Amino acid sequence: GQQLNQSPQSMFIQEGEDVSMNCTSSSIFNTWLWYKQDPGEGPVLLIALYKAGELTSNGRLTAQFGITRKDSFLNISASIPSDVGIYFCAGLRTGTASKLTFGTGTRLQVTL
Amino acid sequence: DGGITQSPKYLFRKEGQNVTLSCEQNLNHDAMYWYRQDPGQGLRLIYYSQIVNDFQKGDIAEGYSVSREKKESFPLTVTSAQKNPTAFYLCASSIRWAAGGAYNEQFFGPGTRLTVL
């Protein structure tokens, strides 16, 4: 099955820095979801996007649904140590073949 | 508390044995899913169920089987035919299937780590 291209694959940042990651596809999606996964745990839904161009925030997190509907971006402002984890994007096309397609993940590590 | 539970958290199996992983949800969600996650990789869909008594193969169904006799339960059996079963298994659910908008947001359980000895 298809996987979305997510970049960067991993990043080391210092506490307090802002973080940006993105997800791209050759296909159009109707919904974009962003998840965070801690080691040994299930992914937790952070933000959901339903319309092209939509910008949605959840605390220090901001995500955007790309205008072409083929990409999405996640920004984390003023990172803190508990932001460490793997961030996954997921895209959804509604219809008879409606299944979530996941990105390959961005591993974030925050240093003090 | 509403949520998805998976048990056990860790499972060890001898080669050649079948094993069943439990997934229960009390969110009243119609749709349920099973994913497999290997180290450093994303999630791959094994099976999904849109409604009770119905399920469909995902991208990597070979060597797995499921049942959906009750809305709240979607157990996964890893059979001896699965050639490389050691992985982290995640169960998820969503309000509905293919309905658009928030109905398709998938919520995940805590996972079961299966190791074949």
Side-chain angles (χ1 to χ4, degrees):
Chain A
Q2 177 194 6
Q3 283 198 317
L4 300 173
N5 297 316
Q6 200 170 335
S7 66
Q9 281 191 322
S10 65
M11 50 198 315
F12 288 82
I13 59 165
Q14 287 201 319
E15 186 177 4
E17 287 184 345
D18 296 344
V19 174
S20 290
M21 60 190 79
N22 68 73
C23 202
T24 60
S25 170
S26 56
S27 305
I28 288 174
F29 290 100
N30 304 115
T31 298
W32 285 95
L33 306 174
W34 283 92
Y35 290 88
K36 177 180 181 245
Q37 185 177 28
D38 291 328
E41 300 294 331
V44 173
L45 183 62
L46 300 173
I47 292 181
L49 302 158
Y50 307 113
K51 282 187 193 175
E54 180 181 356
L55 190 71
T56 298
S57 293
N58 177 6
R60 293 177 296 105
L61 276 60
T62 302
Q64 182 159 26
F65 192 140
I67 209 79
T68 64
R69 294 166 64 194
K70 294 182 178 181
D71 54 13
S72 181
F73 307 87
L74 176 70
N75 295 315
I76 305 173
S77 62
S79 57
I80 58 178
S82 62
D83 289 335
V84 166
I86 302 177
Y87 292 79
F88 288 102
C89 62
L92 179 71
R93 285 188 292 272
T94 53
T96 55
S98 179
K99 292 181 284 184
L100 270 187
T101 301
F102 282 87
T104 47
T106 293
R107 182 181 296 274
L108 178 63
Q109 292 180 265
V110 179
T111 56
L112 299 173
Chain B
D1 271 17
I4 303 173
T5 56
Q6 290 185 244
S7 61
K9 181 73 174 168
Y10 299 95
L11 191 55
F12 297 88
R13 184 195 98 176
K14 288 185 182 176
E15 241 180 281
Q17 287 181 337
N18 291 357
V19 64
T20 297
L21 282 59
S22 165
C23 178
E24 304 277 329
Q25 54 98 1
N26 60 4
L27 300 167
N28 201 30
H29 286 178
D30 282 338
M32 297 186 75
Y33 314 80
W34 273 105
Y35 292 90
R36 171 185 172 133
Q37 186 176 34
D38 293 286
Q41 295 192 30
L43 281 67
R44 293 185 290 169
L45 183 65
I46 305 172
Y47 266 98
Y48 61 95
S49 169
Q50 301 177 36
I51 203 161
V52 175
N53 292 321
D54 176 75
F55 50 83
Q56 308 291 333
K57 291 182 180 179
D59 299 319
I60 55 164
E62 187 175 346
Y64 300 98
S65 66
V66 293
S67 62
R68 186 88 187 275
E69 296 173 6
K70 297 187 295 184
K71 187 175 187 178
E72 57 270 20
S73 179
F74 191 40
L76 173 75
T77 296
V78 184
T79 75
S80 56
Q82 170 47 236
K83 297 202 183 329
N84 186 18
T86 294
F88 189 48
Y89 290 87
L90 287 158
C91 177
S93 70
S94 62
I95 295 175
R96 277 186 222 154
W97 171 267
Y103 294 118
N104 283 109
E105 293 171 10
Q106 290 187 22
F107 297 90
F108 285 84
T112 291
R113 184 166 299 282
L114 172 64
T115 302
V116 174
L117 304 171

